[in-house]
Amino acid sequence: MININKLKCLFNDLKKEKFISVDNMLLRDFTNNELNFLVKNGILEFDGAFYSQGSVKKLYEYGLKYLNNAKFKDAKDCFETCLLMDSNFSPAYFMLFLISLKNKSYKKIFHYYEGFYQDPDFMFQARMFI
């Protein structure tokens, strides 16, 4: 599994820089195995010289794996990182809403609810769960 804090920092930087060189990635303490894993799973893209942001859906699926293994903190970090990649990604808001309910973090619940409530297509799906 990938260190989620490193991943959060990486996507914060990718929002500003869009592309990061191989050498720069290694300076960030990512191992070749970690980078290969991220590319193989579609979380990062690699063109031979630079890394760029991959699919937010792939990172979301990675967060679901954490959730299925009851690693709620890691899942929460993944879903928060999804929102760094795409601040309108409703499924991540919904999962953060559910995790906040579980943790009784009531102040955060309303913020996350607003995130997916604004999306009528997703809200239709979410009604099955809430």
Side-chain angles (χ1 to χ4, degrees), residues 68-97:
N68 289 334
N69 291 314
K71 295 184 177 184
F72 298 107
K73 175 159 180 6
D74 291 332
K76 178 180 173 278
D77 288 342
C78 266
F79 300 136
E80 287 174 345
T81 304
C82 285
L83 295 178
L84 288 174
M85 294 171 74
D86 179 355
S87 62
N88 295 314
F89 190 66
S90 297
Y93 279 110
F94 183 68
M95 287 302 164
L96 289 165
F97 169 81

Side-chain angles (χ1 to χ4, degrees), residues 3-116:
N3 179 306
I4 298 301
N5 288 327
K6 285 197 301 189
L7 203 56
K8 272 186 167 179
C9 291
L10 172 63
F11 283 109
N12 262 331
D13 291 345
L14 280 171
K15 281 188 94 165
K16 298 175 224 162
E17 299 174 30
K18 302 293 181 206
F19 300 99
I20 297 177
S21 70
V22 174
D23 291 339
N24 200 331
M25 289 297 276
L26 295 174
L27 289 173
R28 295 167 190 265
D29 292 327
F30 279 96
T31 66
N32 283 328
N33 287 340
E34 289 173 322
L35 294 172
N36 289 336
F37 175 85
L38 292 170
V39 170
K40 179 182 171 193
N41 288 286
I43 298 168
L44 282 178
E45 293 181 1
F46 183 62
D47 69 2
F50 293 96
Y51 289 92
S52 61
Q53 177 177 308
S55 166
V56 68
K57 289 180 183 178
K58 296 293 185 178
L59 182 58
Y60 173 77
E61 291 168 3
Y62 192 62
L64 291 177
K65 289 179 186 177
Y66 277 127
L67 202 58
N68 289 334
N69 291 314
K71 295 184 177 184
F72 298 107
K73 175 159 180 6
D74 291 332
K76 178 180 173 278
D77 288 342
C78 266
F79 300 136
E80 287 174 345
T81 304
C82 285
L83 295 178
L84 288 174
M85 294 171 74
D86 179 355
S87 62
N88 295 314
F89 190 66
S90 297
Y93 279 110
F94 183 68
M95 287 302 164
L96 289 165
F97 169 81
L98 293 177
I99 291 170
S100 296
L101 274 175
K102 180 204 167 299
N103 293 337
K104 299 178 183 174
S105 302
Y106 299 116
K107 290 181 182 178
K108 293 181 180 180
I109 288 171
F110 295 106
H111 169 72
Y112 295 133
Y113 179 78
E114 287 294 319
F116 71 85

